[in-house]
Amino acid sequence: MNQGIEVVGLYVHDQGEALAFYVEKLGFRVHTDVGNGDYRWLTVQHPDQPSFQLGLFTPGPPVLDAATAQTVREIVAKGAMPPLVLTVDDCRAAYDRMLAQGVEFTQEPVERYGTVDAGFRDPSGNGWKMIQRRG
């Protein structure tokens, strides 16, 4: 039996805005975009990882009640969720390209631990660490 993680969810405040960010600025592709009433199942995937999906979900029913959803939105907006990690071949080049596209960086590229890394946020406040693959 094959097992593995196929989808990891990320809370965003606006799915349309998140979709534009992940597709237009980070180069992800839409995998699934279906709705059921007010609920929308939206996933994207990195072109180099076709078996893994990143779910872009808004906090709310049917998963969360209104009060909990509001708390989650506030926590995400503060950047308090653990960062996700994006690996790249050249961190400085990716930084320059993404900065020119309007990505909000929280940390410029820095050499440490034998590689180069930078930090950025998506429009909802989710933090990302961008790490250069070791040669």
Side-chain angles (χ1 to χ4, degrees):
M1 172 179 7
N2 288 334
Q3 292 183 331
I5 298 172
E6 187 172 319
V7 179
V8 169
L10 186 63
Y11 282 126
V12 298
H13 70 265
D14 180 287
Q15 287 177 304
E17 180 181 45
L19 180 61
F21 176 83
Y22 284 94
V23 170
E24 296 169 14
K25 296 185 180 188
L26 299 189
F28 285 61
R29 297 180 184 145
V30 175
H31 181 275
T32 306
D33 188 355
V34 295
N36 184 10
D38 290 336
Y39 185 76
R40 181 179 182 189
W41 180 268
L42 175 61
T43 66
V44 294
Q45 60 189 175
H46 192 277
D48 294 337
Q49 290 182 295
S51 65
F52 180 79
Q53 299 170 54
L54 181 63
L56 305 174
F57 306 122
T58 54
V63 179
L64 302 173
D65 61 70
T68 304
Q70 180 58 35
T71 300
V72 169
R73 282 190 290 276
E74 291 169 5
I75 290 170
V76 170
K78 290 180 180 182
M81 302 301 289
L84 295 129
V85 177
L86 177 68
T87 58
V88 295
D89 291 326
D90 184 334
C91 187
R92 287 184 176 85
Y95 170 85
D96 290 341
R97 179 182 55 77
M98 291 166 59
L99 189 63
Q101 293 177 340
V103 173
E104 174 193 346
F105 276 85
T106 56
Q107 174 203 312
E108 294 180 1
V110 174
E111 288 187 45
R112 62 174 147 205
Y113 310 118
T115 189
V116 179
D117 69 78
F120 66 92
R121 291 168 46 120
D122 75 6
S124 296
N126 291 295
W128 281 84
K129 186 61 83 170
M130 181 170 60
I131 301 175
Q132 183 170 305
R133 290 184 186 101
R134 293 191 174 152

